[in-house]
Amino acid sequence: MNPRACAVGAWSLIVTGAAHAAAMAAGAATSPPPAEEAARRTMAATHVTIAGLDRTLWQLFTGFSLAMALFIAGLGALNLLALRRAPELFLRSRAAGVLNLCVVLPALALSVLLFPPPPILFLGVSCAAFGYALTRPASRTPCSDG
């Protein structure tokens, strides 16, 4: 498997997560259009009890969204860490690459169906990079990126 292509895929995941968190922060700092503001107010007024805890739909939406950003960036960072500290996971086996593709490919499909262009682009880059990595032999030395 090609470690440099894996590094590209990993960095794209980090950018995806960071950009998503930044977009959430920017959205919180700006005034949304009236229709979106009305939807936010409705979500904030709609309570749901989960496991005995009272939460609003707005809290759940925000929490899920920020957690998604954290986990996407974390997956990319974990890949970079593994590439640096345990490159044999990528050089001797295809398992890490297959796992990456099995996580990122459905995320890309969901993005195409439900999200705006930025996550589609970044997850598309990650899918292409991990797919390319699986089709190419590893170089002699592991990638030092990350």
Side-chain angles (χ1 to χ4, degrees), residues 79-130:
N79 270 275
L80 292 177
L81 180 65
L83 279 165
R84 177 164 299 251
R85 301 290 184 186
E88 63 277 0
L89 289 172
F90 297 89
L91 297 172
R92 293 188 186 147
S93 171
R94 295 167 43 96
V98 169
L99 177 61
N100 281 324
L101 208 51
C102 285
V103 170
V104 176
L105 192 57
L108 174 62
L110 288 170
S111 293
V112 168
L113 293 172
L114 303 170
F115 297 146
I120 297 169
L121 173 68
F122 291 128
L123 291 172
V125 168
S126 290
C127 278
F130 291 133

